[in-house]
Amino acid sequence: MDSAPETVAAARKWLSRHRAGKRFLWLHLFDPHDPYHPIPAYPFGRSASARYDASIAFMDEHLAPLLEELSAQPQTTIALVSDHGEAFGEHGAHHHGMNLYMPNVHVPMIIRSHGMKARRLKSAASLLDVMPTLLNLAGLKPRTAFGESLVPLLQGA
């Protein structure tokens, strides 16, 4: 459970050793997870939601150089997905994993792949769709009973 600076540094080191050929890199950043410690560089406030926002800003700061590096590689697909949201008293709920309210299940899913125009989709998608979508973008046929490729939607269908 390293913090974003260590995780991103390890990823960049791995990428420097694997510059050519096909590659797959998966990162799980734990910074925006409870307990939300105060981050002096991001004095957003003392509440749990303010400390949560600060942890997201901290993670973003350290993830940005890696995303810029990968974005400069035109054949690279990038998927940025959150595993869950967090509740801070909405509907009387706190944390995650206990309900299906929007603060817990409405999460970002950002996919950038060459040849696709930037667009915002309003259709529902699932985290189960990430794997078949990435396989499809890599030119492979997804072999799973779970999820579906979002490539047609990403291409404007």
Side-chain angles (χ1 to χ4, degrees):
M1 291 188 35
D2 290 329
S3 189
E6 294 83 15
T7 302
V8 170
R12 292 179 85 186
K13 183 177 179 182
W14 184 87
L15 285 167
S16 72
R17 292 191 321 260
H18 299 88
R19 292 201 177 277
K22 294 180 180 182
R23 59 197 181 167
F24 178 83
L25 173 65
W26 176 77
L27 303 179
H28 189 155
L29 300 175
F30 288 93
D31 298 282
H33 282 79
D34 186 40
Y36 310 111
H37 302 291
I39 301 172
Y42 297 95
F44 290 1
R46 298 174 68 142
S47 70
S49 64
R51 293 190 321 266
Y52 175 70
D53 291 346
S55 68
I56 292 171
F58 175 80
M59 180 192 66
D60 286 351
E61 174 189 348
H62 294 283
L63 190 56
L66 175 63
L67 293 175
E68 288 173 14
E69 183 179 323
L70 292 172
S71 293
Q73 302 170 21
Q75 297 296 320
T76 299
T77 295
I78 300 170
L80 184 64
V81 183
S82 180
D83 55 345
H84 57 78
E86 201 71 20
F88 293 98
E90 304 89 348
H91 307 284
H94 294 276
H95 306 294
H96 64 273
M98 306 298 183
N99 62 64
L100 297 173
Y101 291 119
M102 291 301 276
N104 293 102
V105 300
H106 188 235
V107 298
M109 180 185 294
I110 302 165
I111 300 174
R112 175 232 175 238
S113 193
H114 95 175
M116 290 191 194
K117 291 182 180 178
R119 61 176 47 94
R120 183 178 189 136
L121 303 176
K122 294 188 181 209
S123 56
S126 167
L127 294 177
L128 294 173
D129 300 331
V130 174
M131 183 182 68
T133 300
L134 293 177
L135 289 171
N136 196 191
L137 288 169
L140 302 170
K141 183 176 177 7
R143 289 183 266 166
T144 177
F146 302 104
E148 60 185 80
S149 174
L150 300 174
V151 170
L153 286 173
L154 296 172
Q155 292 175 334

